[in-house]
């Protein structure tokens, strides 16, 4: 008997169902714009928040009582894995994600930690035969005190070297488990105070590290995508991978803009002062869109709240940008979301994902319909239509040449309504 | 008799002076680290907040009563200039800054506006013989309703063309008046809603426009620096020149990172979620530091408050980064600051600048002393000293090679205190 | 022919309508929980944003071109009123709201301003025979420079006296026009800097002024409700009527908690760090709920954006608290919302209100259904059910008495899941 | 040999000292405005951040290695106390503060926890013979999972009863140790979601609990002050003791405004959107000022950063309000501040306090001098001087009476400069 023993697999029951553990909108095989919802959404469940996190916050300790806690032995780690794959089965998700540190107990030495990781990968490999695939793997280089001053950006080169081993092994395991992406989130790649920080050197360290990660990917023949996950701050005062535009500049600087893409989290977008759809549109404009973490932040709490999405109109705007950009390739929709620490019951874990998946499904369907109806794009095309008749963006155009034309024609351009409210109303016809 | 008729030129009286219109710290000819304070700080007064702004805010109208308002004739524009140059004289500043729109009344046509700009430049040229130099010129492409949907990023190509003429003429005038920089602030280069915005196209338009600006600079032989002023939002919901890192990525994308630098404003840094010193350090790390707008934002008001600097420790941290980067070249310290709208008296204009200049002087002196004493740099060098013994950043290094070394040596790096509080205490010995 | 000449009255066409100027959800006479939607929602249109605001923002001037601008004569003021009542007719709203300053041109003297107000009230009285009723009147004591340092909290007692006249006349007119409430919003009742402010005295001034307003209400027999509108800041750095809880403390201090209620604006709630539903629930808990301004703020823009509501789930949570508290009595749903300044067309004014009214209607219907189904309340009652068996809140209970009981019974209370995600999913079944 | 064995007691060495473990400004026996600095500042060190916190944050675990960790036995608890009192001795502080939970290991039962608390109080009583006094005691009712849904506001009345015992015992111990105040911070007195919360009932529970606390104080003859510590959010989404004004309304509602005062923390003020000096001025205006927690928040990090104060001008403005209100009575200056988690060394604990105490000393001296010089108060008195000649605040005054006077005299009040920048410059003469 498992942790979720009496919970049946979740099925689609349609919008009128009042069953709290049924899908009302996510109908996996329903076809939308030529693809099933499974293929569009590519849902993944994360390992850490669901099976590792104990419910602590800065002012309080453990609230959850999971039978595998503290998971500091291989036996408990396997019990944890059993519960995890059981939940994946109940939810019917096609993917999951993990950090190395989530799945294996830390060893007494680097080598032992690595060895345990590979042992657990054997265990996972077996379970994955009948279970979900790996959307992405990653390495936790922020929890242990050795990383307190950074991972690749640490003032101590031994930490840089240690991280090389950690990432190499996490990539090896991700590759072996056929992960479709490998993610780097630089939770300690930043600073607490500029007073003790060599910003310029740390950026160089981080750039060189990422270049070596890309080289190693090619060396081992990993076909997945390398992803960076932007976040502006927390845990550090400032994190280098601040937002999509910042990551783009970093990639350009180190010549990696064609090798690395971004995994965008709604919550991190908000903490950076952006809407989620902004970050998605920006990544598409810059050609670096990769994957999403579909967990919202409370707009008014200034820390990372990692809540399950629950606002359908917001989800619609997000998937609209995903679809406009052509949809996911190797990426997908990961719930990097955690229960509120008062949600103690096993069924809360299931229900939270069911609700989140349904919101995404509603968003996807609304977004697809808006695109199919050309409800927004017709207006957008019309708004910029004047540009078809001019060549101002051609390499031959000059400032003084265009200026002379403006003066000669005595241009006096008149503003045209931007129609924001009408477009917002249009969206509300679909959500 | 002028607007400031009875106010004498401000002089240095030393820290014990209680004269509210005397410098207590800014001693122009005092030499610090081999340069006078004039040369270090390169103070500039802005034209717009002091002589154009009427004291309005979103909930209230004009509070200031300046004799040259509404300045809609050439005669009033000249009266305004007379007052401005009188204030520059009283303050003894070496520089000033203006938008085209600040100094000439808008004409009935583009050509008339341009002609008036050149006429006013004649008038300024004459006044500058005995007055301050021009730190930078710029063009206002955000106030008039024609720019409501953008300047170079407008959906209407006629606005793009109109802007070409505006910028060309502003550059011509800046060049003629021997301006040391030309600034672009994209107050409307952004969007109110993504629903009607083609983000990708607008970025292309903005990139092409900037490239033409650079080309035109070279064509006319302007030797000054082209500067972009980052700001995250306001007036628009999102502005493309969000912060220093974003501007860097934009410049890299269009191959302009060696042609364009940044003018960093403390208030805009804060609105973007950064400290001022962060933006300065980042610009130095990326090689695009240009100039500063030394006006603070209230940390807790979410709009652009443009207040005069008044916190000496903050000013010290800012000038510390300026000096660490080698100090200003063509840039300087511009007060893009405005009086509170209740500060009605002519002497308020003078006193606000005197206080701001003194705070900068205090900051500069503290920063210079910290550098001369090696008070912070010794600790910083020591913290990263381990990197001198490794070659992990060399092009030959590989992830698996370094990983193997970490494993072979059974690295177990131990954290070392970051000493933040002790470094903060060190700074407090100087401020 | 009027400003909206070719726009037909807006009618309910049902959810499948694609007519941008039709109601899809607001069906005025539809009965919900025993009342029509008209009676529940009590919609009001505001005069100021729609007919007075010119589209300016802190970085730009007028964008709107209304034929009655600048409305500085009585003839233009009447033309403005004609357009306003025409829009009220097209929208079919039962109420409107105004400031004195919105409807009459400022006179050369206080007496002339007052006289003009009464003349315009005559004009309105006539128009109201076939038009909407007055939800509330108010006085603008923040735009004119005389109020720059406060209205009733001004350091100059002459401003206090001036305000007495302004408010008296605005109340007289509101009374005459059968207004159902009278609102005070203290846009300048706060401070820019504590350095020049006598906080304690200013609170006394404001308390005394409000007491006199209440006395005057009774004197003239006005039966409407006196309302305070909380807002934390903007235009001032700090405003005294910060939020609902602050206003409650202020009312208690001056013994006015049974005389004055609050008009809660979603945007102001957000600027104070609260959700809208929090402020509504708090006002109900404290017994001071009055009315709402249904205009949202951008969560990520730090100033008052006054946008039309467009998120149905948010509207549902708001009306849920309104209905839980028993619904409106004299209050209603006012749109203190303004178009984006790029929305230039007359139809934009209509469409924005249609969209806002529809969102409110969706919210109301969802909220009513949740209440009727006992979907949330059953869980809430169960959660606190244990309190029925104890008398800890009785006046006779003591700390040591209860402590002794806890120790004697060796209490070891075990936490119970808060079920947040399941409740959020429940809400999503309704919205 | 103790944890700080080789660190000598910190002494005053004057502003020119470069000894990082010496006071440069805090000269305990120096007399300012008739009292010594010891008497003015009444410094206290907190037990929790210094001796209990392990350096964890939401993304990482323990960084500190203190020999008494995990302090889960009475022997380790005493070792911890030894280190604590050793640090108090080194710093020479006159006071300290603790939570019950900081000083005793949790027992297996409520009774055992209480018994251990009293045993540790015996131990402390002995150490206090030669050490600092107790500024305040308090109870931790937020860390253990039993409080996850609230303490006195818990839906489970058993938790309410459990808290009665916890607070009774913490008060008993505080009384026995001659604590000068007893503090309540409601870290879980709020909610995560309104959906499962009966806001009205929870406020009633909290009000009744506080009333019983006050009654119990009188019953046992405790002469100290009961203090509430406001904070807007974190750990919960919303906390009921939001800020000073909110707490005032709460106290008024339950008739406790003469019994309970506030302990104001700079960091919490900032999180609530206020400046520290605002909260101090407000508490003085409302007559509920009690004590301060002198730990700053990073203005740009949205969580509770609890940093040591390091900005002298800010400290000056805070102590200015403290002194204007008459200074501390039973309250004092507690450092509820924690090291950055990278500050690993014992000397970091000492240095952080030394720096913080020096900043407070600088602030106090500047504030006292400004008061003695009447540097700000003269301008403030003058600004409101007009009120001496009018009786508008008298109970006999009426709105229509004052209005008639305004009209009769044709009042046309003219604004007067608020002189904000000049006042800011004045402050800068002192800091």
């Amino acid at each position: 008997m498992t942790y979720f023993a009496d919970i049946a697999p979740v099925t689609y029951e349609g919008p009128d169902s009042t069953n709290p553990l049924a899908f009302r909108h996510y109908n996996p095989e329903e076809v939308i714009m030529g693809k099933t919802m499974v293929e569009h959404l590519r849902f993944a469940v994360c390992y850490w928040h669901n099976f590792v996190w104990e419910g602590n916050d800065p002012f309080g300790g453990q609230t959850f009582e999971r039978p595998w806690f503290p998971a500091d032995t291989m036996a408990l780690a396997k019990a944890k894995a059993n519960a995890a794959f059981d939940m994946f089965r109940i939810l019917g998700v096609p993917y999951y994600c993990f950090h190395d540190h989530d799945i294996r107990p830390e060893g007494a030495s680097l080598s032992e930690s690595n060895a345990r990781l590979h042992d657990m990968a054997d265990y996972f490999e077996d379970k994955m035969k009948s279970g979900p695939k790996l959307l992405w793997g990653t390495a936790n280089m922020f929890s242990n005190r050795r990383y307190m001053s950074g991972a690749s950006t640490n003032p101590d080169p031994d930490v840089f070297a240690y991280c090389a081993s950690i990432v190499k092994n996490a990539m090896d395991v991700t590759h072996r488990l056929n992960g479709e992406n490998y993610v780097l989130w630089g939770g300690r790649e930043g600073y607490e105070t500029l007073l003790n920080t060599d910003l310029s050197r740390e950026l160089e360290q981080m750039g060189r590290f990422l270049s070596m990660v890309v080289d190693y990917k090619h060396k081992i023949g990993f076909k997945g995508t390398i992803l960076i996950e932007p976040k502006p701050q927390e845990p550090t005062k400032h994190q280098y991978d601040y937002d999509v535009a910042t990551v783009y500049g970093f990639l350009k600087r180190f010549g990696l803009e064609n090798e690395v893409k971004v995994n965008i989290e709604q919550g991190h977008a908000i903490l950076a002062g952006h809407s989620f759809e902004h970050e998605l549109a920006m990544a598409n404009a810059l050609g670096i869109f990769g994957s999403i973490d579909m967990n919202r932040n409370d707009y008014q709490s200034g820390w990372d709240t990692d809540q399950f999405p629950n606002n359908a109109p917001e989800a619609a705007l997000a998937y609209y940008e995903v679809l406009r950009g052509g949809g996911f390739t190797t990426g997908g929709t990961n719930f990097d979301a955690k229960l509120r620490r008062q949600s103690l019951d096993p069924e809360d874990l299931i229900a939270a994902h069911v609700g989140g998946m349904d919101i995404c499904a509603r968003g996807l369907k609304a977004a697809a319909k808006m695109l199919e109806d050309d409800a927004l794009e017709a207006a957008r095309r019309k708004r910029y239509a004047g540009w078809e008749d001019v060549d101002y963006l051609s390499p031959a155009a000059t400032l003084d040449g265009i200026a002379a034309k403006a003066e000669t024609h005595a241009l006096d351009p008149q503003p045209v309504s931007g129609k924001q409210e009408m477009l917002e109303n249009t969206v509300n016809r679909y959500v």
Side-chain angles (χ1 to χ4, degrees), chain A:
Chain A
M1 160 145 162
T2 78
Y3 190 61
F4 301 100
D6 52 355
I7 301 182
V10 178
T11 57
Y12 174 72
E13 297 186 2
D16 297 331
S17 171
T18 59
N19 177 356
L21 297 184
F23 296 122
R24 296 167 50 252
H25 300 281
Y26 178 57
N27 188 3
E29 299 306 323
E30 183 179 334
V31 174
I32 292 170
M33 291 180 76
K35 288 202 294 191
T36 63
M37 292 179 80
V38 172
E39 292 166 327
H40 270 297
L41 290 163
R42 296 170 61 84
F43 281 130
V45 167
C46 80
Y47 210 89
W48 49 100
H49 286 318
N50 294 302
F51 304 105
V52 180
W53 182 52
E54 299 184 344
N56 57 299
D57 71 14
F59 294 85
Q62 180 174 352
T63 58
F64 299 139
E65 296 183 324
R66 315 285 190 208
W68 56 86
F69 284 168
D72 54 358
T73 65
M74 289 296 278
L76 286 170
K78 288 175 183 173
K80 176 166 59 170
N82 294 345
F85 279 84
D86 200 34
M87 188 172 96
F88 304 156
R89 176 187 58 78
I90 291 168
L91 291 171
V93 286
Y95 291 102
Y96 74 107
C97 303
F98 67 79
H99 298 88
D100 57 346
H101 192 68
D102 303 331
I103 69 169
R104 60 103 179 105
E106 179 97 2
S109 66
L110 174 57
S111 297
E112 188 181 27
S113 290
N114 286 339
R116 285 178 171 184
L117 178 64
H118 289 278
D119 288 349
M120 286 305 300
D122 294 340
Y123 195 73
F124 275 50
E125 205 161 26
D126 190 56
K127 297 192 90 69
M128 285 169 69
K129 287 173 187 162
S130 59
K133 294 187 284 184
L134 179 61
L135 185 64
W136 43 266
T138 186
N140 175 328
M141 299 190 295
F142 46 89
S143 293
N144 192 288
R145 69 195 290 270
R146 78 173 64 87
Y147 308 118
M148 74 175 198
S149 305
S152 71
T153 63
N154 203 290
D156 180 353
D158 280 1
V159 178
F160 185 97
Y162 195 100
C163 291
S165 172
I166 290 291
V167 170
K168 176 197 170 292
N169 282 278
M171 289 176 76
D172 288 343
V173 161
T174 300
H175 185 34
R176 171 147 70 102
L177 297 177
N178 297 309
E180 305 200 7
N181 308 269
Y182 182 82
V183 168
L184 294 112
W185 175 60
R188 303 285 173 194
E189 308 292 38
Y191 62 79
E192 286 301 317
T193 175
L194 269 178
L195 296 180
N196 68 11
T197 301
D198 187 334
L199 185 71
S200 183
R201 168 183 281 280
E202 294 200 358
L203 290 172
E204 292 286 345
Q205 291 176 206
M206 194 165 77
R208 183 68 201 125
F209 193 89
L210 184 59
S211 298
M212 292 194 295
V213 165
V214 168
D215 291 344
Y216 186 68
K217 162 192 154 161
H218 292 303
K219 180 171 182 176
I220 62 175
F222 176 59
K223 300 299 180 202
T225 309
I226 305 292
L227 299 171
I228 285 181
E229 178 158 335
K231 189 179 179 186
Q233 63 170 7
E234 208 206 10
T236 72
K237 156 71 181 158
H238 176 87
Q239 275 164 240
Y240 297 131
D241 297 327
Y242 199 82
D243 60 6
V244 167
T246 300
V247 169
Y248 175 80
F250 174 77
L251 295 177
K252 279 293 285 185
R253 185 173 172 211
F254 292 98
L256 297 169
E257 71 273 19
N258 296 320
E259 292 280 0
V260 179
K261 298 190 185 306
V262 283
N263 182 41
I264 304 172
E265 176 174 316
Q266 184 189 20
H268 297 176
I270 288 168
L271 289 169
H274 305 301
S275 68
F276 191 26
E277 56 267 28
H278 168 83
E279 288 289 82
L280 296 168
M282 184 60 78
N284 276 326
L286 298 173
I288 58 170
F289 173 67
S291 196
I292 64 175
D293 273 6
M294 194 67 189
N295 42 297
R296 70 184 172 98
N297 214 71
D298 187 298
Y299 286 106
Q300 302 186 295
S301 301
W303 61 93
D304 197 350
T305 64
D306 276 340
Q307 293 176 258
F308 283 86
N310 71 357
N311 191 287
E314 286 184 3
L317 294 177
Y319 282 107
Y320 190 78
E321 296 300 333
V322 171
L323 291 179
R324 270 185 84 210
F328 295 119
T329 53
T330 64
T333 301
N334 178 45
F335 292 105
D336 183 4
K338 64 186 183 198
L339 293 174
R340 298 307 85 195
R341 72 193 288 270
Q342 298 182 39
S343 299
L344 305 181
D345 302 336
E347 74 166 5
D348 292 326
L349 276 173
I350 306 297
H353 283 89
V354 168
M357 292 164 78
D358 257 358
I359 285 293
C360 292
R362 287 175 72 175
L364 175 74
K365 285 191 277 193
K369 193 77 169 62
M370 285 192 282
L371 272 177
E372 289 177 325
D373 287 0
D374 207 27
L376 296 172
E377 298 312 307
R380 187 164 4 220
R381 283 194 306 274
K382 182 180 167 200
R383 192 165 181 243
Y384 294 86
W387 283 90
E388 292 169 17
D389 306 321
V390 298
D391 60 354
Y392 298 160
L393 305 188
S394 81
T398 64
L399 193 74
D400 44 337
I402 299 174
K405 185 173 160 188
E407 292 154 23
T408 305
H409 289 75
L411 290 185
D412 184 19
Q414 295 303 306
V416 175
S417 175
K419 295 287 169 197
Q420 180 166 339
E421 293 81 8
M422 295 194 84
L423 293 168
E424 290 170 347
N425 292 352
T426 298
V427 171
N428 272 324
R429 293 218 317 270
Y430 292 87
V431 295

